[in-house]
Amino acid sequence: VTKGESFSDVESVKAVSDVLSPLTGVVIAINKAVLDAPESINSAPYEAWFVKVKDVTDKEELLSAEEYEEFLKTL
């Protein structure tokens, strides 16, 4: 996967949306359970995942879980 580029898509009743990678790396696993239950991305976002990646680069702009929780409070 490459930072900023689509590596998958998510289809809903009304649209198909690209899933953009927030980092660059090599995919080592695909979560096939999400293929069968894509709603888990919304219902259990901390448990659902698309892919596992190794040799990660270009991750400097990512937030930690705590930073993300703080960011959500500002919305």
Side-chain angles (χ1 to χ4, degrees):
V1 293
T2 302
K3 181 180 179 178
E5 293 187 14
S6 174
F7 69 90
S8 185
D9 57 54
V10 175
E11 189 172 337
S12 70
V13 176
K14 296 182 180 183
V16 176
S17 301
D18 286 333
V19 178
L20 303 180
S21 179
L23 48 76
T24 298
V26 178
V27 174
I28 59 171
I30 298 170
N31 185 358
K32 294 184 180 185
V34 141
L35 298 174
D36 295 330
E39 65 278 2
S40 65
I41 297 164
N42 290 326
S43 63
Y46 288 105
E47 289 80 34
W49 50 275
F50 289 96
V51 295
K52 291 187 180 182
V53 180
K54 71 174 186 173
D55 300 330
V56 173
T57 61
D58 298 328
K59 63 179 182 175
E60 295 77 22
E61 296 178 15
L62 297 179
L63 301 175
S64 68
E66 295 80 19
E67 291 169 327
Y68 184 65
E69 290 293 329
E70 287 301 314
F71 169 74
L72 291 176
K73 292 176 185 177
T74 68
L75 299 179

